[in-house]
Amino acid sequence: MGRYVIKRLLMMIPVLICVSFVVYFLMDLAPGDIIASMAPPDATPEQIELMREELGMNGTVFHRYFRYLKGLLRLDLGQSLSQKRPVADIFFERLPRTMELAFGSIFVALLIAIPLGIAAATHHRTWLDGVSMTTSMIGVSMPNFWFGLLLIIAFSLHHKWFPSYGADLGLKSLVLPAITLGTEQAGTLTRITRSSMLEVIRQDYLRTARAKGVSEKMVIRKHALKNALIPILTVLGSTLGNAFGGAVTTEAIFAWPGVGRLTVMAVNSRDPNLACGCIIMFSLLLNVTLLVVDIAYAYVDPRIKAHYAK
Amino acid sequence: MDKDLILDLKNLVVRFETEDGIVHAVNGIDLEIERGHAIGLVGETGAGKTTTALSLLRLVPKPPGVVECSKMELDGKDVLNMSVRELEQTRGKDISMIFQDPMTALNPVFSVGEQIAEAILLHENVSKAESMKRAIGMLELVGIPAERAYDFPHEFSGGMKQRVVIAIALACHPQLLIADEPTTALDVTIQAQVLDLMRRLREQYKTSLIMITHDLGIVAEICDEVAVMYAGKIIERGTLQDVFNRTKHPYTEGLFNSIPNINDRKAMLTPIKGMMPDPTNLPEGCAFEPRCPYAGEDCKRPQAKRDISETHSVLCCAYDRPGFHIDRKERS
Ligand SMILES: Nc1ncnc2c1ncn2[C@@H]1O[C@H](COP(=O)(O)OP(=O)(O)OP(=O)(O)O)[C@@H](O)[C@H]1O
Ligand SMILES: [Mg+2]
């Protein structure tokens, strides 16, 4: 298991380097020049050039990228040009907010998806199945900025239960953004819960459990669900990825001070170090999440644990 | 009551209402078993043996299964009208079943010890640790070393899985044990061990047994009585001597003639010709009639059970014909 984890971690390095390359060059292609916009309006071209040198932004894009990469390999994300602080500081200041949002939304998604998926599977081809499948279709197809706005209108303008922006009120602030992002994830999760439950429900070992005298409730919740969790976990990994990605729009709607909004800001202000840093950290986070999910597998499915042990 | 019955089953009918038609799996079975007795339920594939057994546990999948029955009493308790709660208390405790296919009967994500302990935990007032200890005891009883209790089903061979399934079924010392072909997945030595184990347990706990099998040898070895099933009906029922030595039904005769006789290896093996009728479309009369060497016009009418003796009964109208009897080739 340990060796497997190390192998997976090492495999992330080339991926992250590729990501940094693509983002850095894309940022360079975007029109606009942050140095010119930072300089005072009456600065001469010589002064601007001097500034460029001071900030390490001189030379061709290749020179700049390799300078940046050298820093990266020393685990240095560089300085943000727009905020004049280390990128790492800015990122980690905001990361907890995004984690709250991502995990909050996954929590909401699981809370909806697991019971709904199980109900659909155990009542296969009845009205309950139809209702839950329709609900999940709506969840998947509803644009999340629109649903977020609806929630704001209903629960913060009309009823004033929850704030419509910011993260100052703790859990109360988290509710609407987490529901917005969570319902989007819930649709896919419900469908996979349903289909993997349907698969498990036909298995002979459930009959063995019933024959032992296990109650129907426990047959489903214990014997069936633990088996159904295996495919659900696979999807959960990519759902978490979606949640990080979806955080960008959701954070924008609710003015949530997370990494998603930071990234958008960085791109808008043409701050290459900050934008690159955010995106690299984002993909690192995503990769680590997928790895954690893979490890969680082994705990659910003994057959996979045996496989890693080899 | 003169007899102490562990099972009293009257007129069991099971059909599966599928998209391709109604499968008549069980068509009116009466089965009485005295406490402590072992009965062999034999018949070829598709005869409805497993379905009959599942009905006793009320585990026939519904839909598509529809179970009808006029009486189903287990140890004097009416299984048909039990509440869900009572049923759960009965399953695994009063009646339990060893399933046919050991490869799929165990849950892959729980250790075998846990799966045995669960049955004990459900029915007996013991702590978790105690139930695990007893589960390990059960494993040793079926010949699996104690240290393997924490292993998962995929780490066992087919024969070992079968023994785990047996351990689960026996964990709470049921009054009635149904063994659905418990030895088909096992090689001959293990098979003998398992049969021996079941015989010992029967003596120790006075367990009554329904042994489902196609193997007449196993029946002769551990059963007191035999019921022969064909197309969802019991066509002959009697003690071992009745059925083996005074065979009455042509189908039973056919079964005996299709197993080799080691004393006379040159004697022709005569397998029964033809196939069992399509269970979606059973004839009104005797279902064996198309394959029966003694068939006559009277066989096309519904058949009535005929008692030959106190213990022996047969479902065949040929015995209405004067002087009819089956002359089984002498085997010694
Ligand atoms: N769930 C089901 N749906 C539809 N038909 C079924 C179902 N279960 C059993 N049957 C049908 O019922 C009939 C009896 O099946 P059953 O499993 O009881 O036979 P069996 O005597 O146990 O045979 P075998 O020796 O092969 O185990 C068969 O025709 C089978 O196809
Ligand atoms: Mg069967």
Side-chain angles (χ1 to χ4, degrees), chain A residues 125 204-216 222-224 226-227 230 300-303 306, chain B residues 19 54 57 59 88 91-92 95 99 101 104-110 115 118-119 122-123 152 154 168:
Chain A
R125 298 203 178 146
D204 278 355
Y205 49 76
L206 295 192
R207 193 175 63 186
T208 311
R210 289 190 185 100
K212 281 194 276 194
V214 179
S215 66
E216 196 54 39
K222 183 176 165 191
H223 288 263
K226 195 163 176 201
N227 280 283
I230 298 163
V300 178
D301 190 344
R303 288 162 294 191
Chain B
E19 278 160 22
L54 287 177
L57 286 151
L59 279 179
E88 286 162 8
R91 287 180 192 146
I95 179 170
F99 289 98
D101 185 0
T104 57
L106 295 172
N107 194 328
V109 301
F110 294 102
Q115 299 192 46
E118 187 179 30
L122 279 169
H123 297 294
F152 291 88
H154 71 271
I168 292 176

Side-chain angles (χ1 to χ4, degrees), chain A residues 83 94 98 101 165-167 244-268 274 278 282:
Chain A
Q83 300 199 19
R94 290 194 163 221
T98 295
L101 181 56
Y165 65 90
F244 286 129
V248 177
T249 24
T250 311
E251 286 180 5
I253 304 166
F254 290 95
W256 186 261
V259 186
R261 221 155 59 98
L262 180 67
T263 312
V264 176
M265 252 156 54
V267 173
N268 283 342
L274 187 57
C278 284
F282 240 74

Side-chain angles (χ1 to χ4, degrees), chain A residues 75-183:
Chain A
L75 303 182
D76 178 9
L77 289 174
Q79 293 274 327
S80 154
L81 300 180
S82 54
Q83 300 199 19
K84 304 193 175 60
R85 286 200 296 150
V87 169
D89 289 2
I90 307 173
F91 183 85
F92 284 109
E93 214 171 78
R94 290 194 163 221
L95 182 63
R97 297 288 89 73
T98 295
M99 295 293 249
E100 279 168 18
L101 181 56
F103 284 99
S105 75
I106 290 292
F107 179 73
V108 170
L110 286 176
L111 211 63
I112 300 173
I114 299 279
L116 205 61
I118 291 179
T122 51
H123 299 81
H124 189 37
R125 298 203 178 146
T126 65
W127 62 271
L128 202 69
D129 190 11
V131 168
S132 52
M133 280 306 92
T134 316
T135 317
S136 84
M137 268 318 283
I138 295 174
V140 173
S141 37
M142 199 164 44
N144 115 9
F145 56 86
W146 178 74
F147 184 58
L149 290 179
L150 280 190
L151 287 179
I152 289 178
I153 292 170
F155 297 111
S156 54
L157 293 185
H158 198 69
H159 283 297
K160 302 201 171 25
W161 291 345
F162 301 106
S164 63
Y165 65 90
D168 304 330
L169 298 178
L171 207 57
K172 216 169 166 183
S173 301
L174 183 60
V175 172
L176 293 188
I179 292 179
T180 307
L181 192 50
T183 40

Side-chain angles (χ1 to χ4, degrees), chain B residues 262-274:
Chain B
I262 48 160
N263 294 322
D264 181 9
R265 298 212 305 192
K266 291 206 187 67
M268 286 284 282
L269 267 188
T270 41
I272 307 171
K273 284 195 233 28

Side-chain angles (χ1 to χ4, degrees), chain B residues 284-301:
Chain B
E284 197 185 324
C286 177
F288 189 57
E289 182 261 347
R291 305 166 75 181
C292 183
Y294 311 104
E297 268 311 301
D298 44 350
C299 298
K300 300 216 190 280
R301 289 193 298 270

Side-chain angles (χ1 to χ4, degrees), chain B residues 16 18 23 25 43-52 61 64 100 180-181 214 279:
Chain B
F16 294 101
T18 67
V23 180
E44 68 197 270
T45 180
K49 306 179 297 289
T50 302
T51 308
T52 306
Q100 194 165 4
D180 194 355
E181 310 198 20
H214 342 243

Side-chain angles (χ1 to χ4, degrees), chain B residues 35-88:
Chain B
R35 189 183 304 279
H37 277 216
I39 182 166
L41 198 56
V42 292
E44 68 197 270
T45 180
K49 306 179 297 289
T50 302
T51 308
T52 306
L54 287 177
S55 325
L56 299 179
L57 286 151
R58 300 272 311 271
L59 279 179
V60 173
K62 186 180 121 184
V66 180
V67 179
E68 282 162 6
C69 185
S70 52
K71 184 174 185 185
M72 191 190 289
E73 278 182 8
L74 184 72
D75 198 14
K77 284 179 280 187
D78 181 6
V79 183
L80 277 183
N81 299 311
M82 271 185 183
S83 68
V84 174
R85 182 98 193 83
E86 284 172 306
L87 256 181
E88 286 162 8

